[in-house]
Amino acid sequence: MADVKLTKVVKRYGDVETIHGIDLDIKDGEFVVFVGPSGCGKSTLLRMVAGLEDITEGELHIDNECVTSVAASRRGVAMVFQSYALYPHMTVRENMGFGLKMAKTDKAEIKRRVDESARILQLEPLLDRKPKALSGGQRQRVAIGRTIVRNPKVFLFDEPLSNLDAELRVQMRVEIAKLHSQLKNTMIYVTHDQVEAMTMADKIVVLRGGNIEQVGSPIELYLNPVNEFVAGFIGSPRMNFFDCDVIAQTDDSLTLKLPCGEVCQLAADVSRSPGMTRVKLGIRPEHLKEDQSGEIRIGVDVDVVEHLGGSTYVYARYSGEHELIIQTGGLSPVRRGDHCDFSFNLDQCHLFDCNGLSLRAAKPVPLHTQAPVAQALSG
Ligand SMILES: Nc1ncnc2c1ncn2[C@@H]1O[C@H](COP(=O)(O)OP(=O)(O)OP(=O)(O)O)[C@@H](O)[C@H]1O
Ligand SMILES: [Mg+2]
């Protein structure tokens, strides 16, 4: 069990800097997810924690010890990769115990640790099989078992589920969350899938272009994204954005003209942004209502309707040209080609200035949403 602390961590390959001075505190036992688009530096950052990449500048502490220049094998970390690369000629038991055997661990101790990991991962009936006789999910569990037997202080996962089909991914995601609630080790998990991040993390770190955009619990990021990038990245389907003209401004409010011509006033923290002429209004698909109970009504032309069973996604155009997505009830009567009215409330809107920074005061985050997913699963 261990804290992980990154201080002004930089990565350069020759002249090219890919990680630009990252500060991050991960608490003992936390499940932290690094998320962001392809190429933003998630794997590089994880590999620097693992000791598989040198840290160009800055410091890394694990369990209060500076390990910036310590070899990977002596950092007390274990990593699960996307390609699980099991030895095909060895059984599950031999695969799981191989690292310990190489480290000349006592045979009885290897058996004890492999049996314990197999019990945790429900691999006991499969211990004598070879990898070719396992499903993808079972192989991934063996790869995780290989790291559990080493009893690391910190588990590192780099997109471990991306080779699995959609159903297995959901199943394994729950298994990893359960594993975390059982073992209670610090875990750092990399994914570009924001649903995985939302469902597994105690704390999400959103990365872009080698910088941290925001760190917070899933619900904090959902309710209070600090900028347009995080607002668009967290939440599925993606938040809708509309350019609006600013008609009037006080220190704590903006009067806007919406694309449909309607004028409305919103609370906004604009004391540091005098003289704005344009802002972006953000509204999540699930906050657009099919009934007319919201404060603002908008008329849309419906292009596509997707019935998912439990909910319906409506792809539409607003004021002729602005595309938007609406998430509504499973039995929605809306049909392609319809012209219909939706409504929304202003307190559910987000506002961003021309630099993409949020202009709205943070909403309170309900206490119960701070509980780790893993705790809920074990309860
Ligand atoms: N050995 C290398 N030499 C030069 N540049 C590299 C090297 N390895 C990675 N990079 C660059 O560093 C940046 C971050 O790469 P990284 O693999 O960390 O991205 P990622 O966020 O894990 O992306 P993905 O989701 O595609 O796995 C990229 O722009 C990549 O091209
Ligand atoms: Mg990667």
Side-chain angles (χ1 to χ4, degrees), residues 61-138:
H61 287 78
I62 297 178
D63 208 4
N64 294 321
E65 185 194 342
C66 181
V67 295
T68 317
S69 310
V70 170
S73 58
R74 297 187 43 240
R75 288 190 186 186
V77 302
M79 187 146 161
V80 180
F81 298 90
Q82 179 179 354
S83 57
Y84 19 84
L86 303 176
Y87 297 108
H89 58 287
M90 292 185 195
T91 62
V92 168
R93 177 181 288 286
E94 287 162 348
N95 263 289
M96 282 169 71
F98 187 69
L100 295 177
K101 190 173 162 193
M102 287 294 100
K104 307 218 176 331
T105 309
D106 174 67
K107 269 191 186 152
E109 176 64 8
I110 296 178
K111 181 171 184 321
R112 193 189 65 74
R113 290 214 221 161
V114 170
D115 286 343
E116 171 66 7
S117 307
R119 187 188 59 73
I120 292 169
L121 293 166
Q122 295 170 4
L123 285 169
E124 285 154 313
L126 307 175
L127 278 171
D128 297 323
R129 286 204 201 165
K130 300 257 174 73
K132 68 173 187 303
L134 300 175
S135 72
Q138 290 165 338

Side-chain angles (χ1 to χ4, degrees), residues 19 31 87 185 205 233 264-265 285 291 311:
I19 300 285
F31 195 120
Y87 297 108
N185 292 52
V205 178
F233 199 80
C264 61
Q265 193 180 33
D291 60 38
S311 58

Side-chain angles (χ1 to χ4, degrees), residues 251-262:
D251 273 358
D252 56 9
S253 78
L254 282 177
T255 307
L256 306 180
K257 188 167 162 198
L258 301 177
C260 59
E262 184 152 358

